[in-house]
Amino acid sequence: MAALDRAALIVQARESIARGSKSFALASRLFDRRTRERTWLLYAWCRKCDDIADGQDHGGTMRGVADGAARLASMRALTGSALRGEPTGDPAFDGFGLVMRECAIPERYAHDLIEGFALDAREWRPRSEADMLRYCYHVAGAVGCMMAILMGVDPGDEATLDRACDLGLAFQLANIARDISEDEAADRCYLPEEWLVEMDIPPGEHMKPWARPRLAVLARRLADMAAVHEESARHGTGALPPRSAWAVLAAAGIYGDIAREVARRGEHAWDHRVTTPKGDKLGWVFRAGLQVPGRARRWSATQERPASLWTRPRN
């Protein structure tokens, strides 16, 4: 692919992340130039697949779709073409194919992510906590693995990839906690059925006013799970170049604040959408710089990952 084509794809990807996620856009600025550009290319594909699946334009309110199977088939076809190096006519997919080849990222992670969209297309609901975490892997943990390899982690370094997956799980658990109301409006629910039964909340009743105190208990549980996975992920940053570790630690803090704020608000967590204020984001950028392994070794890279944590599938 010509240099001019690559430059054009990067411009498109930069615009995508600027529109789709201010938090990730800020964290990505901490990478070196090459890693930053590759991060944008990967993000643009993830964002485009998400938008195709949910009928959105860089996020926003989910409209719901009546042709989920057709959208999924299109997503698979475009991704397959991109992985084979064939032009797709869509910058998000062409850029994705480019970064996958440049970084030698195993294709299985792309297919794992698409399987998450397939679960949504089938109107799947998690029955157990393990089901929910499996979904989190497909829609976010797999991306964490791809990001780690993009940053230079060996695809065979399973221990570090597990830590990268943990960060993706932490992000998605925060998403689930924050978006319970929005998901309910789109006729989706990612809270395990067993949790709802435990709280004596009938199907489809979790956003009713009487259920809010019980729902707050479950949201706090999600936030606690996110915190455990966030902490685990930090122990993988020693395998990253310093600037990449800086970006990852900043993103972990910024996104972790979403789960922490949901827990703090209790039953009022869904009155207004939870976000991390810009000042707090910049605070995390500063703190993350002090936490980078080699400057302040707060997290031991040799500490074993907790055996109690859910572990991603080995393909």
Side-chain angles (χ1 to χ4, degrees):
M1 184 171 290
L4 180 61
D5 292 338
R6 187 181 194 283
L9 292 173
I10 289 169
V11 169
Q12 294 270 1
R14 182 180 62 198
E15 293 174 352
S16 177
I17 197 169
R19 291 181 59 193
S21 177
K22 291 182 173 59
S23 294
F24 289 133
L26 174 62
S28 74
R29 291 167 61 183
L30 305 180
F31 289 119
D32 63 86
R33 181 183 63 82
R34 193 74 164 177
T35 304
R36 180 168 58 248
E37 292 174 351
R38 288 170 169 172
T39 297
W40 291 343
L41 292 171
L42 180 59
Y43 173 88
W45 173 73
C46 296
R47 178 73 269 168
K48 188 59 177 283
C49 287
D50 203 11
D51 286 347
I52 290 173
D54 292 337
Q56 299 171 293
D57 181 10
H58 288 81
T61 302
M62 285 189 288
R63 296 187 291 117
V65 298
D67 56 345
R71 288 170 176 267
L72 185 65
S74 174
M75 189 192 308
R76 289 191 193 278
L78 288 167
T79 298
S81 295
L83 291 172
R84 291 189 297 272
E86 301 168 359
T88 68
D90 188 309
F93 286 92
D94 290 342
F96 169 70
L98 176 63
V99 75
M100 290 290 281
R101 291 189 294 278
E102 285 186 355
C103 301
I105 299 173
E107 294 182 5
R108 68 176 182 270
Y109 293 117
H111 299 311
D112 282 350
L113 176 61
I114 292 176
E115 180 57 28
F117 296 118
L119 290 172
D120 281 331
R122 297 197 296 268
E123 299 184 351
W124 169 91
R125 299 290 184 271
R127 178 171 179 77
S128 65
E129 182 178 299
D131 289 340
M132 177 182 68
L133 289 169
R134 180 169 62 91
Y135 175 80
C136 290
Y137 164 73
H138 282 293
V139 299
V143 179
C145 293
M146 287 192 280
M147 277 295 302
I149 297 168
L150 181 154
M151 289 183 273
V153 173
D154 189 308
D157 185 351
E158 301 289 4
T160 299
L161 294 181
D162 283 342
R163 301 288 190 172
C165 178
D166 284 339
L167 188 58
L169 298 183
F171 288 170
Q172 189 61 28
L173 289 166
N175 278 341
I176 291 173
R178 179 191 62 189
D179 297 340
I180 291 173
S181 178
E182 295 175 28
D183 289 334
E184 193 271 341
D187 196 28
R188 292 183 181 179
C189 181
Y190 299 108
L191 297 169
E193 292 177 8
E194 292 177 357
W195 286 15
L196 295 172
V197 171
E198 176 188 342
M199 291 289 111
D200 197 22
I201 301 175
E205 297 288 306
H206 57 278
M207 282 307 300
K208 299 294 185 182
W210 65 266
R212 284 292 189 96
R214 303 180 193 184
L215 187 62
V217 172
L218 298 183
R220 193 175 304 112
R221 185 181 300 177
L222 287 168
D224 290 343
M225 290 178 64
V228 171
H229 285 85
E230 178 187 336
E231 180 67 12
S232 174
R234 291 173 183 273
H235 289 279
T237 56
L240 304 176
R243 289 194 60 170
S244 292
W246 186 15
V248 168
L249 289 167
I254 290 169
Y255 226 80
D257 274 356
I258 291 175
R260 288 184 278 273
E261 179 63 13
V262 169
R264 188 194 69 79
R265 291 187 187 183
E267 59 188 273
H268 297 289
W270 307 280
D271 294 348
H272 304 284
R273 184 177 175 84
V274 172
T275 59
T276 302
K278 185 176 181 180
D280 291 350
K281 292 177 183 178
L282 294 175
W284 275 112
V285 168
F286 175 76
R287 276 178 278 176
L290 300 178
Q291 296 168 354
V292 172
R295 294 184 61 183
R297 292 185 176 275
R298 180 175 177 183
W299 298 281
S300 169
T302 59
Q303 179 173 317
E304 287 191 17
R305 182 173 177 269
S308 60
L309 292 185
W310 183 87
T311 302
R312 65 192 172 91
R314 296 287 195 266
N315 296 45

